[in-house]
Amino acid sequence: MVRPVFGDGPRFAVVGNPENRRVSLFADAVRAAGLPGPRVVAWTDVLHEGGAGFAADEIVRIDSPGEDPEVDRLLRGASDPTRVEGSARWYHGFMAALRTLRGGVRLDDADDLAVLFDKRACHAVLDAAGVPVPASPTSGADGLPVRGWDDVRALMREHRMSRLFVKPAHGSSASGVLAVETGGGGRIRATTSVELAPGGALHNSLRVRRYDSERDIAVIVDALAPDGLHLERWVPKASQLGRAADLRVVVVAGRATHAVVRTSRTPLTNLHLGGSRGDLGTARQAVAAAGARWADVLDVCERAASCFPRTLCVGVDLLPAVGWRRTFVGEVNAFGDLLPRLTGLPGSGAEGLDTYAAQVAAALRGPARPGSLHPYRTGTPHA
């Protein structure tokens, strides 16, 4: 991709759900940069009209199609937006919709998004690049299919995984994720936000629950398996104030710009599932006390983001192991920048900017080389 040439000044457009706060926050950032608000192209229009076109010099941001019942119905084919099943259909519908967008200077690459929304493919790409990830028997060329609970049980035995995460391959926001652990005497437990209805339907819930019946766990996994499943060894996480802790690190244009600690009393630290923000300074001190370097922690996130060089911004879920010395990348999220009021890390070049303002500034700087959205870095090296 070449640096855009603007006639009457930069123009932004965003494909998203117009009433969603993601779109509003990005529009606010564009206007705060002294530019006209972006042209908003609704996902409903894209899906109903078979695409959308953009001027050659329009800077186009692709935003999440989530949190809109009509868009979800068109992509997933389910009338109830709380249903968990149907993620494979959603994935193929979303990928097809991306291909109908024409023109513009893109801040997100369709091929990158195709990998980011397939956990098996994303894990394999990260692993091949030497990014530390939890062990998985389902990713890469030798990845094994999971047709149901019996396959999960077999892989647990074969790979000696007494604790693991079972994830829908195309899920997001922890939808359908189960943290499974076994114990002596045949005991088993799954922690998840999935609500199993009496008729067997699966629903997303804001309440994390535990299932201690293997029969119930099998029903859930068997229902999710047709959409594709990804298995990962459970990395015991570090803690902060007695709560499991991980980090969401936003990487903009190749640079780790924002970070937040997420803590929870359950294995699922997502903030919308009852997780809470921890203290970043305390986490940095814990890393240093363990004999590790904070700069290396951020470097892992930047290495993960570098696997997707044509996408301006990703959110990396970083799993610090017990003791804070080692870290693993659990997820790389295409739309992982929704962290309102969080400003940039010292030395990141995004000091005083939220995640959206940092992306606008990076987009206006333009790419450093053809085919990349990673401009020359600003600011000082990570301390």
PDB file of all heavy atoms in Angstrom, residues 36-51:
ATOM      1  N   PRO A  36     -13.023  16.778   9.732  1.00  0.00           N
ATOM      2  CA  PRO A  36     -14.460  16.485   9.727  1.00  0.00           C
ATOM      3  C   PRO A  36     -14.703  15.075  10.231  1.00  0.00           C
ATOM      4  O   PRO A  36     -13.858  14.187  10.068  1.00  0.00           O
ATOM      5  CB  PRO A  36     -14.848  16.610   8.246  1.00  0.00           C
ATOM      6  CG  PRO A  36     -13.741  17.379   7.600  1.00  0.00           C
ATOM      7  CD  PRO A  36     -12.503  17.063   8.384  1.00  0.00           C
ATOM      8  N   GLY A  37     -15.841  14.864  10.863  1.00  0.00           N
ATOM      9  CA  GLY A  37     -16.177  13.532  11.339  1.00  0.00           C
ATOM     10  C   GLY A  37     -16.177  12.528  10.200  1.00  0.00           C
ATOM     11  O   GLY A  37     -16.406  12.866   9.031  1.00  0.00           O
ATOM     12  N   PRO A  38     -15.891  11.270  10.474  1.00  0.00           N
ATOM     13  CA  PRO A  38     -15.805  10.270   9.420  1.00  0.00           C
ATOM     14  C   PRO A  38     -17.163   9.962   8.806  1.00  0.00           C
ATOM     15  O   PRO A  38     -18.200  10.084   9.458  1.00  0.00           O
ATOM     16  CB  PRO A  38     -15.253   9.039  10.157  1.00  0.00           C
ATOM     17  CG  PRO A  38     -15.722   9.205  11.562  1.00  0.00           C
ATOM     18  CD  PRO A  38     -15.681  10.680  11.823  1.00  0.00           C
ATOM     19  N   ARG A  39     -17.148   9.568   7.571  1.00  0.00           N
ATOM     20  CA  ARG A  39     -18.357   9.050   6.932  1.00  0.00           C
ATOM     21  C   ARG A  39     -18.627   7.662   7.507  1.00  0.00           C
ATOM     22  O   ARG A  39     -17.745   6.805   7.491  1.00  0.00           O
ATOM     23  CB  ARG A  39     -18.160   8.978   5.413  1.00  0.00           C
ATOM     24  CG  ARG A  39     -19.377   8.435   4.662  1.00  0.00           C
ATOM     25  CD  ARG A  39     -19.251   8.706   3.175  1.00  0.00           C
ATOM     26  NE  ARG A  39     -18.240   7.873   2.524  1.00  0.00           N
ATOM     27  CZ  ARG A  39     -18.519   6.745   1.861  1.00  0.00           C
ATOM     28  NH1 ARG A  39     -19.768   6.300   1.795  1.00  0.00           N
ATOM     29  NH2 ARG A  39     -17.551   6.064   1.274  1.00  0.00           N
ATOM     30  N   VAL A  40     -19.820   7.468   8.010  1.00  0.00           N
ATOM     31  CA  VAL A  40     -20.163   6.191   8.647  1.00  0.00           C
ATOM     32  C   VAL A  40     -20.972   5.343   7.672  1.00  0.00           C
ATOM     33  O   VAL A  40     -22.013   5.774   7.175  1.00  0.00           O
ATOM     34  CB  VAL A  40     -20.958   6.406   9.946  1.00  0.00           C
ATOM     35  CG1 VAL A  40     -21.330   5.060  10.570  1.00  0.00           C
ATOM     36  CG2 VAL A  40     -20.139   7.243  10.935  1.00  0.00           C
ATOM     37  N   VAL A  41     -20.464   4.163   7.390  1.00  0.00           N
ATOM     38  CA  VAL A  41     -21.149   3.200   6.531  1.00  0.00           C
ATOM     39  C   VAL A  41     -21.638   2.072   7.427  1.00  0.00           C
ATOM     40  O   VAL A  41     -20.831   1.392   8.074  1.00  0.00           O
ATOM     41  CB  VAL A  41     -20.209   2.660   5.438  1.00  0.00           C
ATOM     42  CG1 VAL A  41     -20.921   1.613   4.583  1.00  0.00           C
ATOM     43  CG2 VAL A  41     -19.685   3.804   4.582  1.00  0.00           C
ATOM     44  N   ALA A  42     -22.942   1.890   7.488  1.00  0.00           N
ATOM     45  CA  ALA A  42     -23.527   0.919   8.409  1.00  0.00           C
ATOM     46  C   ALA A  42     -23.361  -0.504   7.880  1.00  0.00           C
ATOM     47  O   ALA A  42     -23.521  -0.762   6.687  1.00  0.00           O
ATOM     48  CB  ALA A  42     -25.013   1.220   8.611  1.00  0.00           C
ATOM     49  N   TRP A  43     -23.050  -1.423   8.803  1.00  0.00           N
ATOM     50  CA  TRP A  43     -22.957  -2.826   8.412  1.00  0.00           C
ATOM     51  C   TRP A  43     -24.270  -3.334   7.839  1.00  0.00           C
ATOM     52  O   TRP A  43     -24.275  -4.175   6.936  1.00  0.00           O
ATOM     53  CB  TRP A  43     -22.537  -3.687   9.608  1.00  0.00           C
ATOM     54  CG  TRP A  43     -21.057  -3.759   9.821  1.00  0.00           C
ATOM     55  CD1 TRP A  43     -20.351  -3.325  10.896  1.00  0.00           C
ATOM     56  CD2 TRP A  43     -20.091  -4.309   8.913  1.00  0.00           C
ATOM     57  NE1 TRP A  43     -19.011  -3.547  10.725  1.00  0.00           N
ATOM     58  CE2 TRP A  43     -18.820  -4.161   9.520  1.00  0.00           C
ATOM     59  CE3 TRP A  43     -20.175  -4.896   7.653  1.00  0.00           C
ATOM     60  CZ2 TRP A  43     -17.644  -4.592   8.908  1.00  0.00           C
ATOM     61  CZ3 TRP A  43     -19.002  -5.334   7.038  1.00  0.00           C
ATOM     62  CH2 TRP A  43     -17.762  -5.182   7.657  1.00  0.00           C
ATOM     63  N   THR A  44     -25.387  -2.837   8.348  1.00  0.00           N
ATOM     64  CA  THR A  44     -26.672  -3.279   7.785  1.00  0.00           C
ATOM     65  C   THR A  44     -26.774  -2.905   6.312  1.00  0.00           C
ATOM     66  O   THR A  44     -27.261  -3.700   5.497  1.00  0.00           O
ATOM     67  CB  THR A  44     -27.844  -2.654   8.561  1.00  0.00           C
ATOM     68  OG1 THR A  44     -27.642  -1.240   8.684  1.00  0.00           O
ATOM     69  CG2 THR A  44     -27.974  -3.268   9.942  1.00  0.00           C
ATOM     70  N   ASP A  45     -26.295  -1.709   5.943  1.00  0.00           N
ATOM     71  CA  ASP A  45     -26.331  -1.303   4.535  1.00  0.00           C
ATOM     72  C   ASP A  45     -25.385  -2.164   3.696  1.00  0.00           C
ATOM     73  O   ASP A  45     -25.724  -2.563   2.574  1.00  0.00           O
ATOM     74  CB  ASP A  45     -25.953   0.171   4.400  1.00  0.00           C
ATOM     75  CG  ASP A  45     -26.997   1.102   5.002  1.00  0.00           C
ATOM     76  OD1 ASP A  45     -28.150   0.646   5.177  1.00  0.00           O
ATOM     77  OD2 ASP A  45     -26.660   2.255   5.307  1.00  0.00           O
ATOM     78  N   VAL A  46     -24.208  -2.434   4.217  1.00  0.00           N
ATOM     79  CA  VAL A  46     -23.256  -3.282   3.489  1.00  0.00           C
ATOM     80  C   VAL A  46     -23.870  -4.648   3.208  1.00  0.00           C
ATOM     81  O   VAL A  46     -23.785  -5.177   2.083  1.00  0.00           O
ATOM     82  CB  VAL A  46     -21.943  -3.436   4.292  1.00  0.00           C
ATOM     83  CG1 VAL A  46     -21.034  -4.488   3.653  1.00  0.00           C
ATOM     84  CG2 VAL A  46     -21.214  -2.100   4.407  1.00  0.00           C
ATOM     85  N   LEU A  47     -24.511  -5.222   4.209  1.00  0.00           N
ATOM     86  CA  LEU A  47     -25.057  -6.570   4.063  1.00  0.00           C
ATOM     87  C   LEU A  47     -26.312  -6.593   3.192  1.00  0.00           C
ATOM     88  O   LEU A  47     -26.507  -7.530   2.401  1.00  0.00           O
ATOM     89  CB  LEU A  47     -25.361  -7.148   5.450  1.00  0.00           C
ATOM     90  CG  LEU A  47     -24.123  -7.384   6.324  1.00  0.00           C
ATOM     91  CD1 LEU A  47     -24.520  -7.694   7.760  1.00  0.00           C
ATOM     92  CD2 LEU A  47     -23.271  -8.513   5.756  1.00  0.00           C
ATOM     93  N   HIS A  48     -27.149  -5.578   3.305  1.00  0.00           N
ATOM     94  CA  HIS A  48     -28.374  -5.547   2.497  1.00  0.00           C
ATOM     95  C   HIS A  48     -28.087  -5.184   1.045  1.00  0.00           C
ATOM     96  O   HIS A  48     -28.738  -5.684   0.127  1.00  0.00           O
ATOM     97  CB  HIS A  48     -29.368  -4.553   3.084  1.00  0.00           C
ATOM     98  CG  HIS A  48     -30.117  -5.060   4.280  1.00  0.00           C
ATOM     99  ND1 HIS A  48     -30.915  -6.182   4.241  1.00  0.00           N
ATOM    100  CD2 HIS A  48     -30.182  -4.585   5.561  1.00  0.00           C
ATOM    101  CE1 HIS A  48     -31.453  -6.391   5.436  1.00  0.00           C
ATOM    102  NE2 HIS A  48     -31.013  -5.443   6.262  1.00  0.00           N
ATOM    103  N   GLU A  49     -27.094  -4.310   0.838  1.00  0.00           N
ATOM    104  CA  GLU A  49     -26.833  -3.790  -0.508  1.00  0.00           C
ATOM    105  C   GLU A  49     -25.702  -4.500  -1.221  1.00  0.00           C
ATOM    106  O   GLU A  49     -25.361  -4.169  -2.358  1.00  0.00           O
ATOM    107  CB  GLU A  49     -26.541  -2.287  -0.420  1.00  0.00           C
ATOM    108  CG  GLU A  49     -27.711  -1.473   0.123  1.00  0.00           C
ATOM    109  CD  GLU A  49     -27.351  -0.032   0.398  1.00  0.00           C
ATOM    110  OE1 GLU A  49     -26.259   0.401  -0.055  1.00  0.00           O
ATOM    111  OE2 GLU A  49     -28.141   0.663   1.075  1.00  0.00           O
ATOM    112  N   GLY A  50     -25.079  -5.458  -0.573  1.00  0.00           N
ATOM    113  CA  GLY A  50     -24.027  -6.233  -1.229  1.00  0.00           C
ATOM    114  C   GLY A  50     -22.711  -5.513  -1.361  1.00  0.00           C
ATOM    115  O   GLY A  50     -21.940  -5.791  -2.285  1.00  0.00           O
ATOM    116  N   GLY A  51     -22.411  -4.597  -0.441  1.00  0.00           N
ATOM    117  CA  GLY A  51     -21.102  -3.959  -0.459  1.00  0.00           C
ATOM    118  C   GLY A  51     -21.171  -2.458  -0.294  1.00  0.00           C
ATOM    119  O   GLY A  51     -22.236  -1.868  -0.081  1.00  0.00           O
TER     120      GLY A  51
END
